[in-house]
């Protein structure tokens, strides 16, 4: 038996001389400390895994993950062409085209999925097929182990391997491609100042998953990492106070210890949001798809896109047990982008020749700009099209680092 003292709402205590074989119920009354006794959950030790001792019955009724014997390593091919030019004021300008191709990417394929010949190809809800596949029968595997239930659906019996759950095989059949125009301007660090500007216009595509589990090849789509526009502006400025600086070059050592050596840093980031990921809703869409997207002035957290453009919101009419035809993403329908200003100030304190302390004060998302996350994408939900969460708000961080 293990004994422990539990502190509630910040009150902590140490209990000594308490012996009992009867567990004490812990009450969470505010400001009160109780003692609880816990019995050992493994009195005979941990149960050792059986491995393949069960022979052909090993993992029956469970999900499996497989990797091919002759796996091939994925690889990337990258090419670029750029032009640089030195401008007045110690500025460097650069324009670059960058391309990238990923080959033999690992793709997860469920080998134990319902063949398409059993699925409905109707563009509306096919209740007859749904009922047919959902019909229940006595489970022929019941009694083999404790996992199988008494009944099983027809769709479960029609699986290639009905005695197992999902069987995930990772295959090197995926691929991706990326094209970008990158524009950069840089003032290299000189006289206590550095400045950088970078803009990227890009398109990222991939085929790394199946639109339907039984499809022969992965589906080509916009990548989850696609961000068409990205701007980053950053700079470093050493305050001109202290020894060997324009102001106070002969400052006394004691004063320079506190007043000299400060450095300001700033980073501004703006980028497009990710493309929204849709369920199989466009097959039932009856409106004008060009009216789904809203302008920046029309969007808000309660209506990120036009939910009344023609979406079917009736739960009893949604597709099920059907072949999917509608895509995952559209380039013009995106979640909120990122807009962030980060600032920091550093100061190095030289204690001894081989001992330095650095003070850092940082503020992330200084203007506390709300960076919204993805809206609800389920048409039958009461919050369809609404944004209910956001990324991290403004954060302050202060730290000391000792280097020796």
């Amino acid at each position: 038996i293990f004994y422990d003292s539990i502190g509630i709402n910040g009150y902590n205590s140490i209990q000594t001389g308490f012996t009992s074989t009867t567990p004490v119920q812990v009450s969470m009354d505010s400001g009160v400390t109780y003692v609880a006794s816990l019995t050992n959950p493994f009195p005979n030790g941990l149960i050792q895994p059986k491995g393949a001792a069960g022979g052909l019955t090993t993992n029956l009724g469970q999900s499996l993950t497989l990797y091919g014997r002759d796996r091939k390593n994925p690889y990337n091919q990258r090419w670029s062409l750029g032009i640089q030019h030195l401008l007045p004021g110690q500025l460097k300008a650069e324009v670059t085209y960058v391309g990238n191709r990923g080959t033999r990417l690992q793709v997860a394929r469920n080998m134990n999925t319902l063949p398409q010949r059993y699925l409905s190809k109707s563009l509306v809800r096919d209740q007859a097929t749904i009922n047919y596949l959902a019909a229940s029968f006595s489970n022929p595997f019941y009694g083999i182990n404790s996992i199988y239930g008494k009944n099983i659906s027809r769709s479960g019996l029609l699986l290639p391997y009905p005695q197992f759950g999902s069987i995930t095989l990772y295959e090197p059949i995926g691929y991706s491609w990326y094209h970008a125009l990158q524009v950069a301007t840089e003032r290299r660090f000189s006289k206590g100042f550095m400045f950088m500007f970078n803009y990227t216009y890009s398109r990222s595509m991939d085929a790394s998953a199946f639109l339907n589990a039984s499809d022969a090849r992965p589906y080509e789509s916009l990548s989850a990492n696609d961000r068409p526009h990205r701007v980053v502006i950053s700079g470093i400025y050493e305050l001109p106070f202290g020894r060997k600086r324009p102001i106070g070059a002969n400052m006394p050592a004691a004063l320079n210890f506190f007043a000299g050596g400060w450095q300001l840093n700033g980073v501004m980031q703006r980028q497009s949001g990710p493309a929204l990921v849709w369920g199989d809703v466009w097959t039932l869409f009856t409106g004008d798809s060009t009216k789904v997207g809203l302008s920046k002035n029309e969007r808000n957290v309660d209506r990120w896109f036009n939910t009344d453009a023609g979406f079917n919101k009736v739960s009893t009419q949604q597709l099920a047990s059907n072949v999917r035809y509608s895509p995952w993403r559209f380039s013009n329908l995106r979640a909120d982008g990122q807009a962030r200003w980060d600032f920091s100030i550093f100061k190095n304190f030289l204690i001894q020749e081989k001992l330095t302390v650095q003070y850092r004060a940082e503020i992330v998302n200084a203007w506390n700009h709300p960076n919204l996350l993805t809206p609800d994408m389920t048409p039958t939900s009461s919050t369809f099209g609404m944004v209910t969460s956001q990324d991290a708000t403004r954060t302050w961080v202060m730290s000391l680092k000792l280097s020796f």
Side-chain angles (χ1 to χ4, degrees):
I1 300 177
F2 303 95
Y3 300 97
D4 193 10
S5 59
I6 301 175
I8 309 298
N9 292 341
Y11 294 90
N12 298 305
S13 66
I14 299 176
Q15 178 72 31
T16 60
F18 179 82
T19 57
S20 174
T21 57
T22 303
V24 180
Q25 182 178 2
V26 177
S27 175
M28 299 300 288
D29 294 340
S30 177
V32 181
T33 301
Y34 290 90
V35 176
S37 63
L38 305 176
T39 57
N40 183 0
F42 306 107
N44 300 319
L46 298 176
I47 300 175
Q48 297 300 312
K50 294 182 178 180
L56 294 178
T57 65
T58 302
N59 293 326
L60 280 179
Q62 303 178 51
S63 297
L64 306 175
T65 299
L66 310 174
Y67 296 89
R69 288 180 177 271
D70 300 323
R71 283 180 288 172
K72 298 178 180 179
N73 290 326
Y75 63 91
N76 277 288
Q77 297 167 292
R78 187 177 186 272
W79 55 93
S80 62
L81 176 65
I83 300 175
Q84 295 182 355
H85 187 70
L86 187 63
L87 302 176
Q90 298 183 359
L91 290 176
K92 182 194 72 173
E94 182 176 359
V95 178
T96 307
Y97 159 74
V98 176
N100 192 348
R101 174 80 179 186
T103 307
R104 295 178 181 172
L105 305 183
Q106 295 291 325
V107 178
R109 179 197 291 273
N110 185 2
M111 304 298 294
N112 200 22
T113 187
L114 199 64
Q116 283 196 15
R117 63 179 180 274
Y118 298 118
L119 299 176
S120 173
K121 296 179 175 59
S122 173
L123 300 182
V124 296
R125 184 180 177 91
D126 186 348
Q127 193 61 49
T129 298
I130 295 173
N131 294 341
Y132 176 80
L133 294 175
S136 182
F137 301 90
S138 296
N139 193 341
F141 308 111
Y142 178 69
I144 295 177
N145 55 31
S146 60
I147 296 177
Y148 295 112
K150 290 185 177 181
N151 296 315
I152 187 172
S153 66
R154 177 181 273 116
S155 61
L157 289 172
L158 291 175
L159 294 176
Y161 309 97
Q163 69 273 32
F164 292 104
S166 63
I167 302 177
T168 303
L169 174 65
Y170 284 89
E171 299 178 289
I173 58 176
Y175 50 95
S176 65
W177 63 100
Y178 172 84
H179 300 283
L181 174 66
Q182 300 177 354
V183 179
T185 301
E186 176 183 358
R187 182 189 187 277
R188 295 183 177 179
F189 193 82
S190 175
K191 297 181 180 180
F193 177 69
M194 187 275 287
F195 170 83
M196 294 183 65
F197 168 86
N198 292 273
Y199 168 71
T200 301
Y201 174 64
S202 64
R203 173 61 61 90
S204 178
M205 304 281 290
D206 65 30
S208 58
F210 295 96
L211 188 63
N212 295 282
S214 55
D215 286 347
R217 56 183 297 174
Y219 179 71
E220 294 184 355
S221 172
L222 276 174
S223 168
N225 299 317
D226 181 64
R227 305 292 189 277
H229 302 279
R230 177 172 171 82
V231 176
V232 179
I233 301 175
S234 61
I236 297 175
Y237 177 58
E238 290 184 341
L239 297 182
F241 308 106
R243 290 190 171 185
K244 299 181 181 180
R245 296 195 178 182
I247 301 176
N250 299 316
M251 186 179 293
L255 181 59
N256 182 73
F257 183 81
F258 295 100
W262 291 93
Q263 175 183 299
L264 295 177
N265 311 278
V267 179
M268 187 279 287
Q269 302 179 61
R270 295 294 300 269
Q271 72 175 22
S272 306
L276 298 176
V277 181
W278 300 88
D280 193 3
V281 301
W282 293 99
T283 303
L284 300 176
F285 187 81
T286 57
D288 184 354
S289 60
T290 62
K291 296 182 179 180
V292 176
L294 298 176
S295 66
K296 185 176 181 180
N297 295 330
E298 296 175 305
R299 287 198 306 261
N300 56 61
V301 295
D302 294 322
R303 193 168 182 261
W304 192 253
F305 51 85
N306 186 3
T307 57
D308 299 319
F311 294 101
N312 189 320
K313 304 177 184 179
V314 182
S315 58
T316 57
Q317 298 178 6
Q318 301 303 304
L319 298 176
S321 301
N322 67 292
V323 176
R324 174 170 179 160
Y325 301 105
S326 61
W328 286 316
R329 303 178 181 93
F330 298 89
S331 61
N332 62 330
L333 298 175
R334 296 181 175 272
D336 190 25
Q338 184 183 76
R340 203 173 77 184
W341 292 76
D342 302 336
F343 297 102
S344 61
I345 183 169
F346 295 175
K347 169 72 168 92
N348 292 318
F349 296 90
L350 181 62
I351 309 300
Q352 295 178 355
E353 182 179 356
K354 296 183 179 181
L355 183 64
T356 303
V357 174
Q358 184 185 71
Y359 168 75
R360 304 165 63 104
E362 303 173 74
I363 179 171
V364 179
N365 192 8
W367 313 139
N368 205 25
H369 180 84
N371 293 298
L372 306 177
L373 297 182
T374 304
D376 188 341
M377 304 298 293
T378 305
T380 57
S381 172
S382 60
T383 58
F384 178 51
M386 297 183 183
V387 179
T388 58
S389 57
Q390 66 178 30
D391 206 347
T393 55
R394 179 168 50 209
T395 304
W396 292 85
V397 179
M398 288 191 291
S399 62
L400 286 173
K401 184 175 71 173
L402 178 66
S403 301
F404 56 92

